[in-house]
Amino acid sequence: MSDAPQDKVTVLSAEALAQLKSFPLHGDERLQNKLLWKSPNGDTIVGLIQMAPGARDVGHNHPSATQHTWVIDGTVSIGGVEATAGSYAFVPPGVDHETIAGDEPVTMFYLYQPFAPEHDHDHDH
């Protein structure tokens, strides 16, 4: 998907998403990552993570990037805080966080983005 044309809208059907290849996150088969989009320079990443019941993404941090996560299905603990389907979690740069799936499979949509101290736009106006 990261090779999608940059000059038009791209829509992936549910069937196309289901057929996208996933790979183990951190080498753990119980944590599957589907890369949906990556910026041309590779620093911003968008994807889906699927966790088996009870799976654990060990504690870590992203020293210079933010992580935005939307829980699509299941219940998960992110940084010690429970998030259920429909929840959103924001992890600031440098904050340690561990992600632990509950008793059912979990699907999360995420955006990993390098931290920029200044923005090009003022979104308050």
Side-chain angles (χ1 to χ4, degrees):
M1 182 66 205
S2 59
D3 59 349
Q6 300 295 311
D7 61 347
K8 68 176 192 169
V9 173
T10 301
V11 175
L12 294 177
S13 67
E15 294 80 18
L17 280 174
Q19 291 182 14
L20 274 181
K21 183 175 176 154
S22 63
F23 59 91
L25 188 63
H26 311 301
D28 186 341
E29 293 291 334
R30 295 169 42 92
L31 305 169
Q32 292 292 314
N33 188 21
K34 285 189 179 192
L35 181 63
L36 299 178
W37 183 84
K38 185 164 60 169
S39 63
N41 65 0
D43 60 356
T44 300
I45 301 169
V46 177
L48 289 171
I49 294 178
Q50 295 174 308
M51 301 178 73
R56 178 181 299 242
D57 185 8
V58 297
H60 63 283
N61 69 64
H62 311 285
S64 60
T66 60
Q67 177 179 313
H68 303 266
T69 304
W70 291 266
V71 180
I72 298 170
D73 291 311
T75 299
V76 65
S77 170
I78 302 173
V81 180
E82 184 178 281
T84 58
S87 298
Y88 161 78
F90 171 72
V91 181
V95 173
D96 286 330
H97 58 286
E98 178 176 53
T99 305
I100 305 169
D103 296 334
E104 55 193 30
V106 173
T107 301
M108 298 178 291
F109 174 87
Y110 72 89
L111 168 67
Y112 174 87
Q113 186 172 37
F115 177 68
E118 296 180 25
H119 298 281
D120 295 334
H121 314 311
D122 180 358
H123 294 286
D124 294 333
H125 295 93

